[in-house]
Amino acid sequence: MDSQTVDAAPRAGEAPRTAATLKSNALGVLGILFFVLSAQAPLTGIAGAVPIAVAVGNGPGAPAAYAVAGAVILLFSVGFVAMGRHVVNAGAFYTYIGKGLGRTAGSGSAAVALFAYCTVQAAMYGLYGFTVSGLVAHYTGVTVSWWVWALVTMAVVQVLGALGIELGAKVLAVFVLAEFSILLAFGLVTLFQGGGPEGLGVADTFSPGAVLQGAPGVALMFAVASMFGFEATAIYGEEAREPHRTVPRATYLSVAVVTGFFAFTSWMLISSYGASRATDAAGKALADGDSTVFVFAPVAEQFGGWVNDVLPVLLATSLFAGILAFHNSANRYLFSLSREGLLPGRLSAVNRRHAPWAAGLVQTALAVLLVVPFAAAGKDPVLTLFSWFSGVGVLACMLLYFLTSVSVIVFFRRERLDTRLWHTLVAPALGALGIAAVIWVVLANFTTLIGGDSATATRLVLAVPAVLLLGAVTARVVRAR
């Protein structure tokens, strides 16, 4: 559907109804950028992924893995943006895939997208609840279970989502700027000081030998996982000012900012330790059970002990921002599917602020259903909920990236709306090959990614094609009826 609004199919006996619309002209480039950066939770990505990429991956060459991942995502973005110029819809992935590969594939991918966003959000609730519980116990001496904080936050996120997209963007802007500022300040100070005890170590980090040492595939896997969520630029197309200009700019800007931030910050962290010592330091942090020490310690050494009090709080706000961003992304998928008649029509209801409040309620209910079983079973929220769901969410999103790249090629070969070969064939094809390679690496190292056993890894991997098939079959049945 090339229009910004789509009429949902009425049920038997119902009069046709006008499609609900999201609030137009509500977001500019920076507003969308803050949603994207929030979904990627920069501090969470740095403190959680970088120590593992260094210790288990390719050591001091890990920053180069972020640069490579950024290049793959940039190639994907070329075709993604080209498609976005002709399709503006809150469904993003599934709408794009449906345009090129057919409605059945599009519907199946919608189920995968919802699965990806909801599982990653649930994973964040696990780490968030654990982090907040620890902070409260540290400062007040009161111990409250992690799941209590998760449930309370679900209610807060539901309210913020219903209050409108502009308020959400303002809240996220505060949190994102706070975590970005302190990490960027650390990086710049380290850079201008000439690095750590061994200097900047450019060759130790970015030379071919450094990049290929150890297990570069593992580092690449965690680098790609850290960039998950940038595609949300298209989800907010209906709410953007001049979407045909705003969305492309926001997409390219988000890829550039995220790639540069992760590559630069991880490089400065390694430099602060020294390339020859960084791998051992990251390994020790993991062995001690707190990977954040690898990141927090050099920042505290640079700026003072107060950082050890501030960074854990910023980690909690980083997770909260990511949770809110994924809530908004998932409820817009539910809204769009309802508007097209694939889900009950009530889910396309919007309030006076043109926020999809009904879809938001369902998304919050899904979060409860995903989180509560782990709490009831007494599972560790970090080792199970966070690790398992973040891994399977990343795998699901990689599948969506691949299908979207293929769909872009098919769509423009058939429709001829854009005859630029680089934008509609070459870049999408290269992006698809790069993403296929990443999927292979993720599958080969999936047990490491989730930090679990092979049986759990197998079940989680099989869940992704199962959701794709279930979504496709369900959509065909609904349309047939």
Side-chain angles (χ1 to χ4, degrees), residues 155 198 436:
E198 300 174 12

Side-chain angles (χ1 to χ4, degrees), residues 242-289:
E242 299 183 85
H244 294 294
R245 294 182 180 180
T246 302
V247 172
R249 291 174 182 174
T251 301
Y252 288 132
L253 183 60
S254 66
V255 173
V257 169
V258 170
T259 301
F261 174 79
F262 276 99
F264 175 68
T265 304
S266 59
W267 175 30
M268 290 300 100
L269 282 170
I270 289 169
S271 175
S272 69
Y273 283 98
S276 65
R277 305 174 188 175
T279 303
D280 290 339
K284 185 178 185 304
L286 292 178
D288 292 342

Side-chain angles (χ1 to χ4, degrees), residues 3 11 159 240 278 321:
S3 61
R11 296 178 181 177
V159 171

Side-chain angles (χ1 to χ4, degrees), residues 220-443:
L220 178 64
M221 175 180 66
F222 282 99
V224 172
S226 299
M227 297 184 181
F228 176 58
F230 83 94
E231 72 290 336
T233 53
I235 294 176
Y236 299 108
E238 292 187 37
E239 296 157 281
R241 304 185 194 103
E242 299 183 85
H244 294 294
R245 294 182 180 180
T246 302
V247 172
R249 291 174 182 174
T251 301
Y252 288 132
L253 183 60
S254 66
V255 173
V257 169
V258 170
T259 301
F261 174 79
F262 276 99
F264 175 68
T265 304
S266 59
W267 175 30
M268 290 300 100
L269 282 170
I270 289 169
S271 175
S272 69
Y273 283 98
S276 65
R277 305 174 188 175
T279 303
D280 290 339
K284 185 178 185 304
L286 292 178
D288 292 342
D290 187 3
S291 64
T292 62
V293 171
F294 178 76
V295 176
F296 292 178
V299 179
E301 184 178 349
Q302 189 72 260
F303 297 137
W306 61 269
V307 169
N308 289 320
D309 293 322
V310 172
L311 283 179
V313 175
L314 288 180
L315 178 60
T317 59
S318 173
L319 287 162
F320 178 83
I323 287 168
L324 178 57
F326 280 113
H327 171 81
N328 284 319
S329 295
N331 68 26
R332 277 153 180 77
Y333 264 92
L334 291 166
F335 167 86
S336 187
L337 287 168
S338 168
R339 198 170 54 178
E340 295 192 19
L342 294 175
L343 288 177
R346 293 177 181 176
L347 294 185
S348 62
V350 295
N351 57 22
R352 287 180 297 177
R353 296 176 180 268
H354 287 265
W357 67 271
L361 284 173
V362 172
Q363 199 287 314
T364 300
L366 290 172
V368 173
L369 291 174
L370 289 172
V371 170
V372 166
F374 286 85
K379 296 290 187 180
D380 186 289
V382 178
L383 298 180
T384 57
L385 178 57
F386 176 74
S387 298
W388 295 359
F389 278 179
S390 58
V392 75
V394 168
L395 181 60
C397 202
M398 288 299 103
L399 175 61
L400 292 173
Y401 289 177
F402 178 77
L403 292 176
T404 300
S405 292
V406 174
S407 179
V408 167
I409 296 172
V410 174
F411 175 76
F412 285 113
R413 301 281 70 72
R414 183 177 65 236
E415 300 296 335
R416 297 293 178 180
L417 295 173
D418 189 333
T419 57
R420 298 173 298 174
L421 285 179
W422 170 253
H423 293 76
T424 63
L425 177 61
V426 179
L430 293 174
L433 290 174
I435 292 164
V438 172
I439 291 174
W440 181 84
V441 169
V442 169
L443 290 174

Side-chain angles (χ1 to χ4, degrees), residues 163-175:
L163 286 176
I165 198 71
E166 300 106 316
L167 179 61
K170 292 174 182 177
V171 171
L172 295 179
V174 174
F175 292 153

